[in-house]
Amino acid sequence: MELTTVWFVLIAVLWTGYFVLEGFDFGVGILLPLLGGDEAERRTIAATIGPVWDGNEVWLLVAGGATFAAFPEWYATLFSGFYLPLFLILLALIARGVALEYRNKSDSTRGWDRAFFWGSLGPALLWGVAFANMVRGVPLDADHEFTGSLLTLLNPFALLGGAATVLLFTLHGAIFLTLRTTGELRRGAARIARTLAPITLLVVITFLVAAGGAGRPLRWAAVALAAAGLVGALVATLRGRDGWAFTASAVAVVAVVAALFTGLWPNVLPALDPANSLTVTNAASTPYTLTVMTWVAAIFTPLVLAYQAWTYWVFRRRLTGAH
């Protein structure tokens, strides 16, 4: 397998890890005003992700760094053309991080809770908009420079993608809360999950089907797996099997990301004019750079995965108001 293919797959894996882990963080933040009836419940909701949210964001940093090093042309075009949406995501992530750190150090938490909510909803929406545009294709000239505007990115298909990711992450967060809380909080999260699952299934599958991909059996297998994961999450939630529900929800997120990236290949950023598209070939770094990066990834990736797995194991118990 060529190193360009290896790094395309590795970047897809990094985005998958980010959306699986940060996805339920976003969902928890979106659900805070819906489930948090009083300060004790809101504190418990925030505490479910308190020890892990910053570690989950490392996946985004590594995905961005890997893209910059392995496919610099892709990175340059993406971050210049999508500058405003990505800048808004950055501001939202900063606001959310500050809110999580300071809400317990302030006499009034209302403002921090608003920042937590909007700092979760904004990225959940904008990541869907960004990836929908990447799959659909954007206007690029012969120099691979973006020639559109913000309104170009806010097309109906992109907004459908944003709605799909908001619903998917909110459902993922609701199921995560059923796994990590007890009592009325858990029952409330389960009710939301049961309500959201059918809507999420409809919107996500509509989005993936609208993305096309004729003649790509792997992509359609991923679409089918996403549907199966969402159905499995609903069934497990109805039966009170929280662990299986979360596993099925995570599988659905993995399958959605797999469907997007298999739809991209061999492009990394398709253009409306196919002659100007960025591919794994014309956007890649030199073979030497990719070789060095491969050795670094082979050594350090298992260490990072082991540390993060240990973190989740330590903080695996359910939380109550007393915690």
Side-chain angles (χ1 to χ4, degrees), residues 132-178:
N133 278 291
M134 286 172 58
V135 172
R136 170 181 173 268
V138 293
L140 301 178
D141 61 20
D143 295 323
H144 299 147
E145 293 183 0
F146 181 76
T147 58
S149 65
L150 178 62
L151 292 179
T152 305
L153 300 177
L154 297 178
N155 56 79
F157 177 70
L159 295 177
L160 175 62
T165 50
V166 167
L167 288 169
L168 183 64
F169 294 155
T170 306
L171 174 64
H172 197 36
I175 294 174
F176 176 76
L177 286 173
T178 66

Side-chain angles (χ1 to χ4, degrees), residues 15 18-19 22-23 25-27 29-30 57 60 85-97 114-131 161-167 169-170:
W15 279 107
Y18 175 67
F19 284 140
E22 190 81 329
D25 289 348
F26 292 148
I30 293 169
E57 288 191 351
L60 173 62
L86 293 176
F87 181 69
L88 292 175
I89 288 173
L90 177 61
L91 289 180
L93 293 178
I94 292 172
R96 189 185 65 139
R114 289 197 189 100
F116 184 23
F117 171 77
W118 290 109
S120 300
L121 178 62
L125 172 69
L126 292 174
W127 281 129
V129 170
F131 271 87
T165 50
V166 167
L167 288 169
F169 294 155
T170 306

Side-chain angles (χ1 to χ4, degrees), residues 9-10 14 21 40 57 62 93 130 135 162 173 185 234 241 265:
V9 172
L10 286 176
L14 291 170
L21 299 176
E57 288 191 351
V62 177
L93 293 178
V135 172
L185 265 182
L234 174 60
R241 304 295 297 273
W265 173 263

